[in-house]
Amino acid sequence: MKRYVEQLLEDLHHAKDRKPEEPDYRLLKTGYEDLADDLKYIAAWENAPDQSMVELFGISPEAFPPSEKLTPGQQQQLVEGIFSLWRCWNISPTIPQEAP
């Protein structure tokens, strides 16, 4: 299982490189050309296509082993790898305190 977790961590790391280029939304709608630079992310967000995390990252949930097959250290490594990937893509998760 150790090597498999290492490979998953490598996949998570390489998924950071698959971040798509942000389209220039000023070309899509009138009015966007006047947006201040610090507001352009709003136009990008509201015009972004709906995509699943599998489509974005190329890693399916089935690739992750059940938590009971992982040591606590491996679980922590994978959680940190996922959160690192999300930060790279500017995804800010909200995790309830009760979540395992």
Side-chain angles (χ1 to χ4, degrees):
M1 187 62 68
K2 179 182 176 189
R3 181 65 190 135
Y4 187 75
V5 169
E6 290 171 355
Q7 290 172 330
L8 270 175
L9 291 169
E10 289 172 15
D11 291 345
L12 290 167
H13 180 74
H14 291 302
K16 293 176 182 180
D17 299 332
R18 286 196 287 268
K19 188 174 179 182
E21 286 187 35
E22 284 189 27
D24 188 352
Y25 290 106
R26 293 173 298 177
L27 302 174
L28 297 176
K29 293 189 178 183
T30 57
Y32 282 170
E33 61 274 359
D34 297 330
L35 282 177
D37 284 341
D38 58 342
L39 296 177
K40 288 180 182 173
Y41 77 95
I42 294 173
W45 175 75
E46 71 180 11
N47 289 288
D50 287 335
Q51 290 181 288
S52 70
M53 288 192 175
V54 174
E55 292 171 318
L56 289 173
F57 307 137
I59 305 170
S60 72
E62 292 79 20
F64 294 88
S67 60
E68 57 270 5
K69 292 194 175 193
L70 300 170
T71 67
Q74 290 171 329
Q75 291 175 14
Q76 186 65 32
Q77 285 179 306
L78 288 174
V79 167
E80 289 172 6
I82 292 167
F83 282 7
S84 175
L85 172 61
W86 288 355
R87 278 190 302 276
C88 177
W89 284 57
N90 296 322
I91 297 172
S92 301
T94 302
I95 309 294
Q97 289 284 19
E98 315 79 50

